[in-house]
Amino acid sequence: MPAQPDVNPPLSTPRLRLEPQVAAHAPVMVAALADPRSYLYIPGKPPSDTEALRRRFAHQESRRSPDGANLWLNWIVYSGQTALGTVQATVQLAERTAAVAYVFGPEAWGQGYASEAMRAMLTFLHAGLGVEKFVAHLDTRNAASRRLVERLGFVQTDLILGADRFKGSVSDEYVYSLSAAVFSASSPTPPLDFPPAGL
Ligand SMILES: CC(C)(COP(=O)(O)OP(=O)(O)OC[C@H]1O[C@@H](n2cnc3c(N)ncnc32)[C@H](O)[C@@H]1OP(=O)(O)O)[C@@H](O)C(=O)NCCC(=O)NCCS
């Protein structure tokens, strides 16, 4: 039987190490995401119950939705020994599309770490898994997130008014998308090291 390809391998960039998320990362992520500013424009609040987070991470270690249609991919982003945040992708295998997300602690903001980690993940999703399109949903008030996706080459394709409701207000959402071919053409020498996966 052929070996199952590693769909969530370790990745690295010049400054960062992206570790595949496992249950043992729960304590470092409780610390990395403790600041409520990280959750201003997304539902939820900082994880404070390490055991609950450990269970959630353990569940996500399957890397697949129960029906097998989607891959759940999560990386913990490290600079040296410090966990800075997370980058995530839900890959719809039939559509070859990945919905991407990212959350970093405020100490990591403004230094290009999120862009660098996202570039590594997008490069892997395309080159390693054959993803052809990336999609991001973001709250219209989230200027930092908007700048990030635009710097990566995403373009706004939709606006969903009243997409969600959290923290006492309505969340309107921009939908941004990016063709993986366009992304890889604009990043000819990816700052990335990963073992080939192939599905
Ligand atoms: C969205 C989020 C990840 C963006 O983080 P960020 O730090 O603004 O993004 P980057 O890592 O790309 O860094 C951006 C800045 O670092 C600078 N930068 C880029 N490369 C750099 C480098 N090598 N050295 C130093 N600075 C650098 C850039 O100039 C950029 O600033 P600019 O946009 O004013 O030009 C962060 O705000 C966050 O975690 N927010 C909370 C969670 C959230 O809302 N997630 C999104 C849900 S949709």
Side-chain angles (χ1 to χ4, degrees):
M1 190 199 271
Q4 186 81 356
D6 187 356
V7 296
N8 200 157
L11 305 174
S12 62
T13 74
R15 296 187 297 169
L16 302 171
R17 200 172 71 256
L18 281 64
E19 295 187 359
Q21 176 189 286
V22 293
H25 284 116
V28 295
M29 290 313 281
V30 166
L33 301 181
D35 192 314
R37 284 176 292 170
S38 292
Y39 288 83
L40 211 49
Y41 301 122
I42 51 180
K45 55 184 176 32
S48 54
D49 181 340
T50 306
E51 274 317 305
L53 192 64
R54 199 189 300 274
R55 284 194 296 277
R56 179 147 69 87
F57 284 1
H59 179 58
Q60 292 169 341
E61 277 185 43
S62 69
R63 315 284 182 214
R64 282 181 190 264
S65 59
D67 62 4
N70 299 336
L71 297 178
W72 294 335
L73 308 180
N74 296 274
W75 283 268
I76 306 298
V77 181
Y78 277 87
S79 166
Q81 296 306 307
T82 307
L84 306 177
T86 175
V87 292
Q88 308 165 337
T90 301
V91 179
Q92 295 174 291
L93 291 165
E95 291 83 7
R96 293 192 172 270
T97 297
V100 299
Y102 33 84
V103 185
F104 286 72
E107 303 74 28
W109 295 354
Q111 301 170 72
Y113 290 138
S115 317
E116 193 168 318
M118 284 295 291
R119 281 185 193 285
M121 181 177 77
L122 299 183
T123 301
F124 167 71
L125 292 174
H126 180 50
L129 300 183
V131 169
E132 289 169 0
K133 184 178 166 193
F134 309 118
V135 178
H137 286 246
L138 43 119
D139 187 294
T140 54
R141 296 165 294 182
N142 197 342
S145 180
R146 193 175 187 192
R147 244 188 355 255
L148 170 63
V149 291
E150 289 181 349
R151 217 180 303 112
L152 291 167
F154 284 73
V155 292
Q156 190 199 322
T157 50
D158 208 351
L159 167 64
I160 306 173
L161 297 175
D164 204 347
R165 185 179 182 89
F166 54 83
K167 301 186 177 93
S169 46
V170 171
S171 169
D172 300 329
E173 278 182 2
Y174 290 127
V175 182
Y176 272 79
S177 69
L178 171 61
S179 143
V182 169
F183 171 73
S184 68
S186 68
S187 312
T189 50
L192 174 63
D193 181 25
F194 65 85
L199 280 181

